[in-house]
Amino acid sequence: MSKSLIIVESPAKARTIANYLKDDYVIKASVGHVKDLPESRLGVDIENGFMPQYQVIKGKIKVLKEIKKAAEKVDSIYLATDPDREGEAIAWHIAEELKRPPKKIHRVLFNEITARSVREAILKPERLDKDKYEAQQARRILDRLVGYLISPLLWDKVRRGLSAGRVQSVAVRLLCEREKEIQSFVPQEYWTIQALLEGNFPPSFKATLARIDSKKAEIKKEEEAQAILQDLSLCSFSVKEIERKERRKNPPPPYITSQLQQEAWRKLRFTAKKTMSLAQRLYEGVELGQEGPVGLITYMRTDSVRISPEAVQDVRQFIVEKFGPDYLPEKPNFYKSRKTAQEAHEAIRPASVTRNPETLRPFLNKDQLALYDLIWNRFVACQMNPAVYDQTSVDIQAGKYLFRASGSILLFPGFMTLYIETADENSEREDQEEGKLPDLSIGEGLKPLNIIPEQHFTQPPPRYTEATLIKELEEKGIGRPSTYATILDNIQEREYVAKEKGRLYPTELGCLVSDLLVENFPVILDVQFTAQMEDELDKVEEGQLPWVQALEDFYEPFQKDLEKAKVEMQDIKGKGVPTELRCEKCGAPMVIKLGRHGQFLACSNYPQCKNTKEFQRNGAGGIEIVQEEPVQETCEKCGASMATKAGRFGKFLACSNYPKCKNTKKMLINGEGKLEVAQDEISSEVCEKCGASMVIKTGRFGKFLACSNYPTCKNTKKIAPSGKGAEAAPSTLTGENCEQCGSPLVYRQGRFGQFIACSSYPKCRYTKKLTSAHREGRETPEEQKEKPSIKKEKAAEKKTREN
């Protein structure tokens, strides 16, 4: 029993640590949480101090059994899960299951998974942190109470399958409020005036009208702009004042979680979820040839900008060697974290500054390298000297009008040699566009070459991107570093929020649910209350507040709202939301109902009247019926007219005699950008089952052949590409027979790749997976000859990388 057991969450982390410790330790991975609240019930005893009823997660029984078996053979157990609340909860639950004396179980924390940090942590183990565990437990119970008590209410009142989340619902509320601001926004006209001027020396330059009679220039109408132009035509222009100063731009601090997610979106268009997944891999370890798996960055869930003294010393030495002494400040740059930051953690930085992105290029994929490049550049830049600009501002007098021109020149790039924040890139371009001003002197006369008025309109607030929403949540104190990616993922997965051209917007379903929750649960959907709960969870972690007290502070107002909502929440599922619109068929009021593909207008006189309409919100947030586009198509099955409808996959034609006739036709956009009926293309193939001609159709997975006698005959075939158009893909025989009916087996192509199926389908639905023998059997002799040479090339390439 000389060895010790180390338990981590992920197999990748286990491999990296094993690479450092070799055979001295047994290392096991829990693969995430091993215990949680039950799925089928609330699992919280509210009457008995909110006591949670944890149980082993289904699928983790085998994992726990292996860990327990390994624990029986060792003297010491080291719980090395992540250094945050979730990691502490995993460690706590494993310790509970092992039931070993406290002196036999140690807690070790890795801020970075390097050989030095792993060995140091094991030599200086800590105890399990009860306060941190209880903070995680309180958050888990809070989220369970909201999810399991509000969601059934939404099922009864709106639609089955909906769910609510304590923090996610607040995020959706922010998006809905922004969307309402956009819809209600009324653009305001305004004008600007620029003068192109020339002094005694080139170049010419532009100046913008800034003040009129010592007041800020505000031009609202074209008439005002034209009157000013008339005045300026009689004025002489001269330099009134020149101000020259040196401007310093300081480097940004190293990344914290939220800033990394924001910058990864701005620069790389990575979602928060993708960013965290890539960062997790870089933290846990990546294979570096003969070195084996190595952790490349520090822990990626942090709100602290603290840097260890050793890392500061290493990067300062690197800056001198790589960029020269001019780029190194006399003293290390110091950055202050937020008040709520956990200073026990470091900022996100490379584990070793000497591993620059270029040296890792052979070992990282494109996305991993791009993210590592961001982290490495930002960290090195944060300890470099500021950028220095020579900035000039000139005031120009023309009668009662004051124009202003400015320009700047980059004298010393400093940290900008290596890194420029995306938010600042635009401003730098603006500086360059302003350009260098000519040599001017006070009192110098200027010649107006052109005076240009320009009309503008105020713009509505923009929709949130993932970056700006994370920033908003962070500024309002909603959520914490470990939750932002989950929040964004959940609200999109639940179809409360969608994304268009990188910008988030609430769906009709999202706004409907959000409005109902805000109306019936004003306290827990309040932004300040949610932020206050985050502060209380922080206090639990710091040992300043009992976790039960935090839950009681939440549950008391929540319970009152819940009981009230059960009675007063509007029942949309049965009755719908009333509107002022009237049904054109029977005159009854139209109501908003929630269907499979979103909201729609329906007659309140249903089922006597089954009239439905699509609707959209106008600029003021009101409801407008979407007019059905007139078409001249007639249903070939019943003779009724066809109408344009919108479905999950776009617009289509449907018989107006629905539901008696359910005939539909697909529509597509033609070369002129107009919608037209998609015509089935007749192929040369004949259906072998009924003798009718086959037509080419487009389905979810592309084009295919279908019998024109559908739905009487439902025969279909795959299409293979051909130089002369589409033709039926031959069903290649495998040389085997079906085990169930004896018919020949053929190769088929499905959603997840090739498989083997019975040729008598659909009478016989027998299928089986392809084996390596099948794949080799399908290769041509040329392909089989090529395989050994490909293997040799890959082996040679690997050997070159290792050398």
Side-chain angles (χ1 to χ4, degrees):
M1 299 183 77
S2 58
K3 288 188 177 183
S4 297
L5 173 64
I6 298 177
I7 302 170
V8 296
E9 312 97 312
S10 83
K13 191 174 178 180
R15 286 192 295 270
T16 304
I17 294 173
N19 183 46
Y20 299 144
L21 301 178
K22 305 304 179 186
D23 298 327
D24 299 331
Y25 295 84
V26 176
I27 303 169
K28 293 289 183 181
S30 69
V31 197
H33 283 273
V34 295
K35 293 171 73 173
D36 197 3
L37 298 173
E39 291 184 5
S40 57
R41 63 182 193 279
L42 181 63
V44 178
D45 190 347
I46 298 172
E47 302 299 325
N48 190 25
F50 300 96
M51 193 57 61
Q53 299 163 353
Y54 291 116
Q55 62 183 32
V56 175
I57 297 171
K58 189 178 180 181
K60 292 299 178 71
I61 297 173
K62 184 178 178 181
V63 172
L64 264 177
K65 188 176 179 180
E66 290 179 2
I67 290 173
K68 288 177 180 179
K69 187 176 180 180
E72 291 172 357
K73 301 176 182 179
V74 299
D75 288 325
S76 297
I77 299 168
Y78 295 89
L79 299 172
T81 48
D82 285 346
D84 59 8
R85 292 174 186 169
E86 295 299 320
E88 200 66 34
I90 294 171
W92 194 276
H93 289 151
I94 291 173
E96 285 180 339
E97 289 297 309
L98 294 179
K99 298 175 183 177
R100 299 291 290 273
K103 65 180 181 179
K104 297 284 187 180
I105 295 181
H106 311 285
R107 180 76 167 108
V108 289
L109 303 173
F110 306 139
N111 185 59
E112 58 188 61
I113 306 179
T114 59
R116 178 179 57 83
S117 65
V118 167
R119 292 192 180 102
E120 286 180 358
I122 291 174
L123 290 173
K124 298 176 182 178
E126 302 175 10
R127 291 185 178 276
L128 287 166
D129 190 333
K130 186 178 180 182
D131 293 329
K132 187 182 285 187
Y133 165 65
E134 288 181 344
Q136 188 277 343
Q137 180 170 266
R139 175 185 288 279
R140 184 72 186 94
I141 293 172
L142 282 173
D143 293 341
R144 174 54 65 101
L145 291 173
V146 172
Y148 271 58
L149 296 179
I150 294 183
S151 296
L153 197 58
L154 293 175
W155 299 353
D156 291 339
K157 304 285 187 177
V158 186
R159 187 181 77 187
R160 188 164 184 82
L162 296 180
S163 59
R166 183 180 61 88
V167 181
Q168 293 92 324
S169 296
V170 177
V172 175
R173 178 182 184 176
L174 292 176
L175 288 163
C176 291
E177 289 176 347
R178 173 60 59 89
E179 198 68 17
K180 289 173 184 176
E181 287 180 52
I182 295 170
Q183 291 173 349
S184 61
F185 182 82
V186 180
Q188 300 294 321
E189 180 184 7
Y190 71 98
W191 289 72
T192 57
I193 294 178
Q194 273 194 334
L196 180 62
L197 304 170
E198 185 179 66
N200 295 332
F201 303 98
S204 59
F205 62 98
K206 288 182 179 180
T208 303
L209 179 60
R211 305 189 79 80
I212 303 173
D213 282 332
S214 302
K215 295 180 181 179
K216 183 181 177 181
E218 293 182 350
I219 310 168
K220 297 181 179 180
K221 296 181 180 180
E222 184 179 6
E223 292 79 7
E224 296 175 23
Q226 292 300 329
I228 292 171
L229 291 181
Q230 188 67 32
D231 284 354
L232 289 172
S233 65
L234 306 174
C235 294
S236 58
F237 290 74
S238 63
V239 177
K240 178 183 179 184
E241 188 176 344
I242 301 174
E243 183 183 7
R244 291 188 178 90
K245 61 181 179 181
E246 185 180 272
R247 179 169 68 91
R248 289 176 173 265
K249 185 175 182 61
N250 293 318
Y255 282 128
I256 60 175
T257 304
S258 59
Q259 290 168 352
L260 176 62
Q261 291 170 344
Q262 292 170 49
E263 197 74 347
W265 167 255
R266 296 188 192 109
K267 285 183 178 290
L268 307 174
R269 284 297 184 258
F270 289 174
T271 64
K273 182 181 180 180
K274 181 175 181 177
T275 298
M276 295 309 291
S277 176
L278 291 169
Q280 182 93 28
R281 184 67 189 274
L282 295 174
Y283 165 70
E284 291 180 343
V286 177
E287 289 281 348
L288 301 185
Q290 292 181 338
E291 281 190 75
V294 176
L296 297 179
I297 65 170
T298 53
Y299 191 55
M300 62 286 160
R301 294 185 180 91
T302 176
D303 52 5
S304 169
V305 293
R306 184 182 71 82
I307 307 171
S308 70
E310 296 82 5
V312 171
Q313 183 179 344
D314 290 346
V315 74
R316 283 175 63 82
Q317 183 179 342
F318 178 85
I319 290 168
V320 171
E321 293 172 357
K322 178 72 175 177
F323 299 97
D326 291 342
Y327 286 82
L328 184 71
E330 290 184 14
K331 295 180 180 179
N333 293 331
F334 174 77
Y335 300 95
K336 192 174 182 180
S337 301
R338 295 171 179 264
K339 290 182 180 180
T340 57
Q342 296 178 337
E343 289 298 327
H345 293 173
E346 278 194 66
I348 304 170
R349 61 168 177 82
S352 172
V353 73
T354 58
R355 294 189 191 277
N356 66 60
E358 198 56 38
T359 63
L360 296 176
R361 186 175 294 277
F363 308 106
L364 303 182
N365 65 38
K366 180 182 175 182
D367 291 343
Q368 289 171 341
L369 183 64
L371 190 68
Y372 183 81
D373 188 64
L374 268 189
I375 295 168
W376 190 90
N377 286 342
R378 174 100 164 203
F379 171 65
V380 176
C382 85
Q383 291 301 317
M384 296 174 79
N385 267 324
V388 181
Y389 287 88
D390 178 14
Q391 188 164 311
T392 304
S393 179
V394 180
D395 284 353
I396 299 152
Q397 196 72 51
K400 63 180 181 178
Y401 303 101
L402 182 76
F403 285 77
R404 186 161 289 150
S406 60
S408 61
I409 301 172
L410 182 63
L411 300 177
F412 176 67
F415 77 94
M416 290 175 60
T417 302
L418 195 59
Y419 182 85
I420 299 176
E421 283 186 286
T422 309
D424 296 329
E425 284 176 349
N426 293 332
S427 60
E428 294 305 330
R429 291 194 197 99
E430 288 168 8
D431 289 342
Q432 290 169 9
E433 286 173 4
E434 289 170 357
K436 183 180 178 181
L437 295 175
D439 290 332
L440 298 169
S441 57
I442 294 176
E444 179 182 340
L446 301 172
K447 179 182 177 182
L449 301 177
N450 196 8
I451 300 176
I452 309 154
E454 190 172 355
Q455 184 186 39
H456 307 272
F457 291 92
T458 54
Q459 297 297 312
R463 283 174 170 169
Y464 289 107
T465 62
E466 286 207 358
T468 55
L469 182 58
I470 289 171
K471 185 178 180 181
E472 184 80 0
L473 293 171
E474 184 181 35
E475 289 177 351
K476 292 184 180 298
I478 301 168
R480 286 297 179 262
S482 60
T483 63
Y484 296 130
T486 306
I487 291 169
L488 289 168
D489 190 42
N490 283 348
I491 61 179
Q492 292 177 74
E493 193 174 287
R494 293 173 180 177
E495 298 184 352
Y496 292 155
V497 174
K499 191 185 292 183
E500 182 180 3
K501 295 181 179 178
R503 296 200 172 268
L504 301 169
Y505 67 93
T507 61
E508 289 288 347
L509 173 62
C511 284
L512 175 64
V513 173
S514 180
D515 289 345
L516 284 173
L517 293 179
V518 170
E519 181 183 351
N520 292 277
F521 298 92
V523 177
I524 68 162
L525 266 292
D526 180 69
V527 171
Q528 290 183 343
F529 181 77
T530 306
Q532 177 190 325
M533 286 308 305
E534 295 291 353
D535 292 338
E536 291 201 6
L537 291 173
D538 290 342
K539 289 178 181 177
V540 172
E541 182 170 347
E542 294 160 7
Q544 299 176 9
L545 182 71
W547 68 277
V548 175
Q549 181 64 54
L551 290 171
E552 287 174 349
D553 292 344
F554 171 84
Y555 190 71
E556 186 177 348
F558 173 63
Q559 185 184 27
K560 292 178 182 177
D561 288 342
L562 186 65
E563 294 304 319
K564 187 178 178 183
K566 288 178 180 177
V567 178
E568 298 183 2
M569 182 182 277
Q570 196 171 15
D571 188 352
I572 295 169
K573 188 175 184 180
K575 301 176 182 177
V577 180
T579 71
E580 296 180 357
L581 299 173
R582 292 275 172 178
C583 175
E584 76 273 17
K585 293 185 177 180
C586 70
M590 299 290 280
V591 296
I592 299 173
K593 287 196 172 184
L594 189 61
R596 187 177 178 185
H597 305 307
Q599 293 185 89
F600 63 96
L601 284 173
C603 181
S604 58
N605 197 24
Y606 179 87
Q608 285 74 24
C609 178
K610 297 181 179 180
N611 186 25
T612 61
K613 296 285 182 181
E614 295 175 50
F615 73 93
Q616 63 187 11
R617 303 276 180 181
N618 58 27
I623 293 172
E624 293 178 347
I625 293 176
V626 176
Q627 299 298 325
E628 293 179 351
E629 298 178 26
V631 290
Q632 296 179 345
E633 288 286 322
T634 303
C635 177
E636 67 274 19
K637 294 187 176 181
C638 70
S641 60
M642 303 286 280
T644 306
K645 300 282 185 181
R648 187 179 180 185
F649 303 108
K651 291 194 174 182
F652 64 96
L653 283 181
C655 180
S656 59
N657 199 21
Y658 179 87
K660 290 181 181 179
C661 179
K662 297 181 179 180
N663 186 27
T664 62
K665 291 185 179 181
K666 185 180 178 182
M667 299 190 76
L668 50 77
I669 299 175
N670 61 21
E672 299 176 358
K674 295 180 180 179
L675 277 170
E676 63 179 24
V677 179
Q679 301 295 333
D680 289 335
E681 183 182 344
I682 305 295
S683 76
S684 58
E685 290 288 318
V686 176
C687 177
E688 68 272 18
K689 294 188 177 181
C690 70
S693 59
M694 302 286 279
V695 295
I696 299 171
K697 290 185 175 287
T698 302
R700 188 177 180 185
F701 306 112
K703 291 187 175 183
F704 65 96
L705 285 173
C707 181
S708 59
N709 199 21
Y710 178 88
T712 305
C713 178
K714 297 182 179 181
N715 186 26
T716 61
K717 288 184 180 181
K718 181 187 171 185
I719 291 178
S722 170
K724 297 180 180 179
E727 59 184 15
S731 298
T732 309
L733 297 174
T734 66
E736 299 174 354
N737 292 329
C738 176
E739 297 174 8
Q740 294 182 1
C741 71
S743 301
L745 293 177
V746 295
Y747 293 103
R748 299 276 189 192
Q749 186 69 32
R751 182 180 180 185
F752 303 107
Q754 266 195 342
F755 66 98
I756 292 173
C758 181
S759 58
S760 294
Y761 178 86
K763 290 181 179 178
C764 178
R765 297 177 180 266
Y766 175 77
T767 62
K768 71 175 183 177
K769 293 181 180 179
L770 262 70
T771 64
S772 57
H774 286 118
R775 288 192 173 89
E776 289 175 4
R778 297 214 68 191
E779 291 172 351
T780 64
E782 290 75 15
E783 289 173 330
Q784 290 179 3
K785 287 179 183 177
E786 191 179 4
K787 282 181 74 176
S789 62
I790 291 172
K791 288 180 179 178
K792 287 180 182 178
E793 287 176 11
K794 288 185 176 179
E797 184 183 351
K798 183 179 180 182
K799 190 173 182 181
T800 303
R801 286 181 177 176
E802 289 174 351
N803 293 334

